[in-house]
Amino acid sequence: MIDRLTVVLVEETYLVKAGVEKLLSELPGLVLSEVFDGSEKNLANKITKVKPDIVIINPDVLIINVITLINELQKKNDYILIGLCGKTTPENIKSHFSGCLNIADGKFELLKEFKTILGKRMKNVKEEKNESGISEREKTIIKEVVSGLTNQEIANKLFLSIHTVTTHRKNITNKLGIKTVSGLTVYAIMNKIVDIHEIEHK
Amino acid sequence: MLIEKDMKLADVIHHDHNLVPVINRFGIHLGFGDKTIKTLCKINNVNQEFFLTILNAYHDHQYFPRKHLQSFPAALLIDYLKRSHRYYIDEKIPEIELFIEKLGNENDLDTETFTLLKNFFSEYKQELFNHINKEERTVYPYVKKLENAIDSGLISKELLKEMETYSITDYEKEHDDVEEKLFDLKNIIIKYLPNSENDKLYFNLLKELFELENDLNDHSRIEDLILVPKVEAMEYSLRSTRSEND
């Protein structure tokens, strides 16, 4: 299940870093989780550890050969590799990336190019976001939470594993945007999942 | 925009009017003409460097000079934090309560939903006030004692005992709970309240909640990232001087 894409950036300068961060913030579902400055030893291993979906690299900041790095990364996993390229970046380097962002471009072109590179992966993110209906099972869980049961008690009562209950709870929080039990109570009463008089008795 | 001492405070407020409650906390009030920050700090007897740092950190969340902020005395930080407590208690919370009352009075909500919303908010308020009380009665006095001990080089037995039983890291967690309730309240209003034509009232209530949230976030950022590490460092240094003396 994909609900977000993790991004790693290899870039040294503050200005470009800030620019890439700003650009990513415009695209829902993308999260920048780590930035390397390109001078690290065993860079490929370090990147792999973060388990990113997308790696954005400025070839100019690397102390090792960019093609070597790309090959190493490709051996490990099927990452989306994006190059930050300028006028002087040679074609034979550009062609090794899944796609390139041209540093000289404006916001509109950059976003368009980014979406093209991500292609299908981007759609997955969106579809996930659109599902927001609460299932019958989740309603049952909400009822029990609101009546004051702990996750363990709910698991016992409904013959579920505690793990399943925790997953349901997480999904409910994500779908509704409500984190606390009191918040859920308000939601549940307003949506007639529980009756206010039932709660007042407890 | 980086706010600097030679700027006119009026220009700064034009740029970011959300800073008005922040300058109020320093005893500076609107109506200051064309005076610069430097002049206003002098007139009002405000620590200029601290004032500038707080303004900048509030205005731009990415500008958060941890080390620089940690270099100010804890007493100064605590004074600022206490003043923002007053702002929540005396102004923000009553304003929000007033708007919620209005939702009931103007018949936008049925009695049941209105009661739910009202109870939810008063629960939140109670939690927030409890937290503030605890900070002002226990946490801040403890921090001040630590700072005095460091400044004077004198550590009392009582303080050492307090250091053993009490740890500052415990109280960081409480911030999350208070934050989560506010987050829920916003979503209940945005997503789940029954449709209403009273757009203005809903918008005003929501605006207040966002402002409160923004201010509280700034507040807990200062506590969690500046005050707590500072206290931990003081505790550490007091412990090591003590073991040297032993």
Side-chain angles (χ1 to χ4, degrees):
Chain A
M1 196 173 83
I2 306 165
D3 56 352
R4 58 175 212 174
L5 296 173
T6 305
V7 184
V8 163
L9 172 64
V10 183
E11 170 59 56
E12 191 181 25
T13 64
Y14 168 75
L15 285 178
V16 177
K17 262 190 277 188
V20 172
E21 245 174 86
K22 179 90 181 87
L23 193 68
L24 290 173
S25 71
E26 307 272 346
L27 298 157
L30 295 189
V31 183
L32 181 60
S33 78
E34 195 137 353
V35 181
F36 297 101
D37 67 16
S39 67
E40 291 87 353
K41 282 180 190 155
N42 302 322
L43 185 56
N45 281 332
K46 281 178 184 151
I47 294 176
T48 319
K49 266 193 194 146
V50 186
K51 294 189 181 143
D53 303 287
I54 302 165
V55 187
I56 304 176
I57 301 169
N58 179 354
D60 295 339
V61 302
L62 295 176
I63 53 162
I64 52 165
N65 184 296
V66 60
I67 296 172
T68 319
L69 177 67
I70 292 177
N71 287 338
E72 272 181 62
L73 286 173
Q74 275 167 343
K75 248 186 268 163
K76 309 241 176 180
N77 210 328
D78 184 26
Y79 303 118
I80 301 176
L81 299 171
I82 300 177
L84 290 177
C85 302
K87 271 187 209 150
T88 53
T89 316
E91 279 307 318
N92 66 342
I93 287 183
K94 281 188 186 170
S95 61
H96 278 80
F97 287 107
S98 327
C100 282
L101 295 176
N102 184 358
I103 291 192
D105 273 345
K107 181 171 166 184
F108 177 80
E109 289 83 10
L110 284 167
L111 284 175
K112 204 171 151 194
E113 189 56 37
F114 213 122
K115 283 183 187 163
T116 320
I117 300 171
L118 295 188
K120 264 191 192 163
R121 303 284 291 266
M122 193 71 192
K123 275 185 198 124
N124 281 339
V125 174
K126 274 188 190 151
E127 276 161 17
E128 206 61 48
K129 290 252 159 177
N130 283 338
E131 281 176 36
S132 64
I134 285 284
S135 72
E136 284 309 312
R137 195 57 173 171
E138 285 160 348
K139 274 188 195 167
T140 323
I141 305 268
I142 293 179
K143 249 187 209 171
E144 303 300 343
V145 173
V146 167
S147 72
L149 296 193
T150 63
N151 284 357
Q152 187 60 59
E153 286 165 342
I154 298 171
N156 295 343
K157 187 172 173 186
L158 302 176
F159 305 105
L160 297 169
S161 75
I162 177 97
H163 176 75
T164 313
V165 177
T166 326
T167 313
H168 279 307
R169 290 285 302 267
K170 264 188 211 150
N171 291 342
I172 292 168
T173 303
N174 288 341
K175 284 183 186 176
L176 296 181
I178 294 183
K179 294 177 183 171
T180 65
V181 176
S182 352
L184 275 182
T185 311
V186 174
Y187 173 84
I189 297 170
M190 276 167 42
N191 289 279
K192 315 265 179 273
I193 295 174
V194 294
D195 186 61
I196 192 160
H197 306 292
E198 278 173 42
I199 295 178
E200 278 169 353
H201 278 292
K202 283 171 185 160
Chain B
M1 180 185 77
L2 188 64
I3 303 165
E4 291 179 288
K5 65 177 187 322
D6 295 319
M7 288 178 172
K8 291 177 186 167
L9 190 55
D11 291 340
V12 174
I13 299 300
H14 266 294
H15 196 79
D16 183 357
H17 67 274
N18 288 317
L19 290 172
V20 172
V22 182
I23 65 165
N24 293 159
R25 274 167 224 168
F26 286 88
I28 299 176
H29 305 280
L30 293 183
F32 32 66
D34 279 326
K35 294 194 185 72
T36 61
I37 292 182
K38 196 177 164 187
T39 318
L40 283 164
C41 282
K42 243 183 221 159
I43 297 174
N44 293 284
N45 205 9
V46 168
N47 180 325
Q48 179 189 292
E49 195 47 38
F50 185 61
F51 182 66
L52 279 173
T53 314
I54 291 285
L55 282 190
N56 276 311
Y58 195 99
H59 167 67
D60 177 2
H61 298 172
Q62 260 146 15
Y63 174 91
F64 194 74
R66 271 189 210 209
K67 287 213 176 105
H68 186 50
L69 269 168
Q70 282 176 14
S71 70
F72 293 105
L76 206 56
L77 290 164
I78 288 175
D79 187 52
Y80 174 73
L81 293 170
K82 271 191 179 168
R83 280 165 192 263
S84 47
H85 283 163
R86 288 264 71 81
Y87 172 69
Y88 309 141
I89 297 174
D90 297 340
E91 290 179 42
K92 256 345 201 196
I93 299 289
E95 268 169 41
I96 294 171
E97 275 175 328
L98 206 71
F99 282 128
I100 293 181
E101 276 310 318
K102 269 193 188 167
L103 279 177
N105 294 340
E106 295 177 15
N107 295 324
D108 287 300
L109 296 179
D110 56 279
T111 335
E112 190 179 86
T113 319
F114 170 63
T115 319
L116 274 174
L117 197 67
K118 207 172 133 176
N119 291 344
F120 184 83
F121 188 72
S122 70
E123 210 178 289
Y124 167 75
K125 175 181 151 185
Q126 207 44 55
E127 254 173 58
L128 181 69
F129 284 12
N130 288 345
H131 178 68
I132 290 178
N133 259 329
K134 198 176 148 198
E135 286 185 343
E136 299 203 349
R137 292 215 180 119
T138 341
V139 184
Y140 297 166
Y142 171 68
V143 178
K144 280 193 177 165
K145 272 187 244 167
L146 288 180
E147 194 165 62
N148 285 339
I150 295 223
D151 290 347
S152 64
L154 299 170
I155 319 168
S156 65
K157 276 192 184 142
E158 290 81 19
L159 184 57
L160 281 173
K161 213 176 208 174
E162 226 180 316
M163 279 167 62
E164 274 162 29
T165 50
Y166 183 82
S167 170
I168 188 81
T169 7
D170 293 344
Y171 104 117
E172 258 185 282
K173 265 186 291 162
E174 282 182 24
H175 285 151
D176 302 340
D177 307 335
V178 181
E179 270 165 33
E180 282 182 353
K181 275 233 166 71
L182 191 54
F183 174 88
D184 286 0
L185 185 55
K186 283 187 335 194
N187 258 335
I188 288 170
I189 292 166
I190 297 173
K191 289 160 79 174
Y192 304 119
L193 279 190
N195 275 132
S196 155
E197 302 268 299
N198 202 337
D199 296 333
K200 200 175 160 199
L201 185 52
Y202 275 60
F203 177 53
N204 283 335
L205 173 58
L206 207 54
K207 214 158 56 172
E208 289 291 334
L209 292 173
F210 273 102
E211 277 172 22
L212 176 64
E213 185 188 39
N214 183 37
D215 211 289
L216 283 170
N217 283 345
D218 183 73
H219 186 89
S220 42
R221 226 183 351 253
I222 293 178
E223 287 181 335
D224 297 345
L225 301 177
I226 308 301
L227 198 63
V228 171
K230 208 172 152 68
V231 169
E232 282 166 346
M234 288 196 287
E235 285 175 335
Y236 180 78
S237 119
L238 285 173
R239 278 200 191 101
S240 45
T241 22
R242 179 201 167 203
S243 50
E244 270 170 33
N245 294 340
D246 280 348

